[in-house]
Amino acid sequence: MLGKQLGKSVLRDIINRSAETEADRRLFLRSAGLAGVGAVGLGMAGGGAASAATPDEDLTDEQKLSDYTVLNFALNLEYLEAEFYLYAAYGHGLSNSDTDAGSKGGDGGPKGGVVVRDFPRVKFGERYVRQYAEEIAQDEIGHVKFLRKALGDYAVARPQINLKEAFDGAASAAGVDQGGKFDPFASDLAFLLGAFIFEDVGVTAYKGGAALINSDTYLDAAGSILAVEAYHAGLVRSTLYEMGAGAIDAANKISDARDSLNPGVDNDQGITLNGEANIVPTDENAIVFGRTTQQVHNIAYLTPEKGITKGGFFPNGTNNTNKELTTT
């Protein structure tokens, strides 16, 4: 159906814009043809099923390298989430052993970048919010360790991460700042709003990236991490909803701001829809949407512009051996 509607030229454009390496593009163009166009095209557009994975023993070197680029893209996001939750819950970040690059980590270099912050750990008012923060922090450490182990020598270092001015910019864009400033560690509500900025992006990033993975083992792992991120996102959304009108309004403004960073896209959903609770943001078929790597970077860099390679939460850009994965 999709092939008939869009034609070969448009399909090729979708694949070119969504696949992240030359290996990806060649692989998907070969596999698509006229058959299987619907599955591949929808997956690459970030809105449909993932590609069928290949048994690990049958992977070519090209496919393995392609998978490494996708996993390193995910690792950058996990570094960001882990640092945020660790500092919020415990007042410290990742250890050096969990931030250095592997021997083939390329642009990551031997050492991880610094984390820019000057906030103390959150002084939680509610015990249950503190416990949420601690549990999610441990999950995110686990994701970092798992991806680094899977990547081995190909793991990139943690890039420089900004948890100070970036939050100011994100909150200002959403209109929920206080005089141009926003401290996500100031209170339970501020912490949850900071978490809300990340969590929905993580879910949709894994959904969009799933179609790029060749290995059946890695695809299964990515699906498992996606499920954990979805649990986190649902928890944050439902807790904010229970906090009442002020929290709901702020969260909905953040959702609108995320959409504004990808002009022409209207997928993001707040925690209410038509005045009713909207804890699980899905389409009419109850399917979650996916974001391309470029769309994720627009949000992470806090810019709607194309071709940008750094900014926002990643002042020097994300660390990837393939430069195409660092741009908006």
Side-chain angles (χ1 to χ4, degrees), residues 67-109:
D67 281 356
Y68 293 153
T69 65
V70 177
L71 294 185
N72 269 318
F73 165 69
L75 179 58
N76 278 273
L77 301 181
E78 296 296 348
Y79 281 140
L80 174 60
E81 288 190 315
E83 295 291 4
F84 169 70
Y85 285 110
L86 280 169
Y87 277 112
Y90 303 114
H92 65 78
L94 290 164
S95 66
N96 289 338
S97 63
D98 288 325
T99 60
D100 293 351
S103 63
K104 298 180 180 178
D107 296 336

Side-chain angles (χ1 to χ4, degrees), residues 179-191:
K181 300 292 182 180
F182 179 77
D183 178 358
F185 297 170
S187 65
D188 291 9
L189 174 58
F191 161 73

Side-chain angles (χ1 to χ4, degrees), residues 169-170 172-174 256-265 291-312 327-328:
S172 294
D256 290 340
R258 285 193 301 239
D259 253 347
S260 72
L261 291 169
N262 284 293
V265 176
R291 284 185 169 98
T292 67
T293 58
Q294 286 78 21
Q295 290 171 337
V296 172
H297 277 96
N298 278 111
I299 296 172
Y301 294 164
L302 300 178
T303 178
E305 303 296 326
K306 295 181 180 180
I308 306 300
T309 59
K310 60 184 178 180
T327 59
T328 59

Side-chain angles (χ1 to χ4, degrees), residues 2 6-33 36-37 39-45 212 292 294 324:
L2 183 64
L6 301 183
K8 275 184 159 183
S9 62
V10 178
L11 172 63
R12 183 173 286 105
D13 178 62
I14 291 173
I15 294 172
N16 283 342
R17 285 186 287 107
S18 301
E20 302 309 329
T21 66
E22 289 300 323
D24 290 327
R25 282 188 276 275
R26 289 194 295 271
L27 173 64
F28 292 125
L29 285 170
R30 284 199 303 269
S31 63
V37 157
V40 176
L42 286 171
M44 290 297 87
L212 301 173
T292 67
Q294 286 78 21
E324 293 182 41

Side-chain angles (χ1 to χ4, degrees), residues 3 6 8 13 39 45 57 148 154 157 186 208 217 252 254 297 306:
L6 301 183
K8 275 184 159 183
D13 178 62
E57 61 271 17
R148 287 177 58 86
Y154 290 90
T217 298
N252 288 348
I254 290 172
H297 277 96
K306 295 181 180 180

Side-chain angles (χ1 to χ4, degrees), residues 250-281:
N252 288 348
K253 287 179 178 179
I254 290 172
S255 171
D256 290 340
R258 285 193 301 239
D259 253 347
S260 72
L261 291 169
N262 284 293
V265 176
D266 188 22
N267 289 328
D268 212 294
Q269 296 177 22
I271 60 177
T272 57
L273 189 64
N274 299 321
E276 300 293 332
N278 186 44
I279 304 305
V280 186

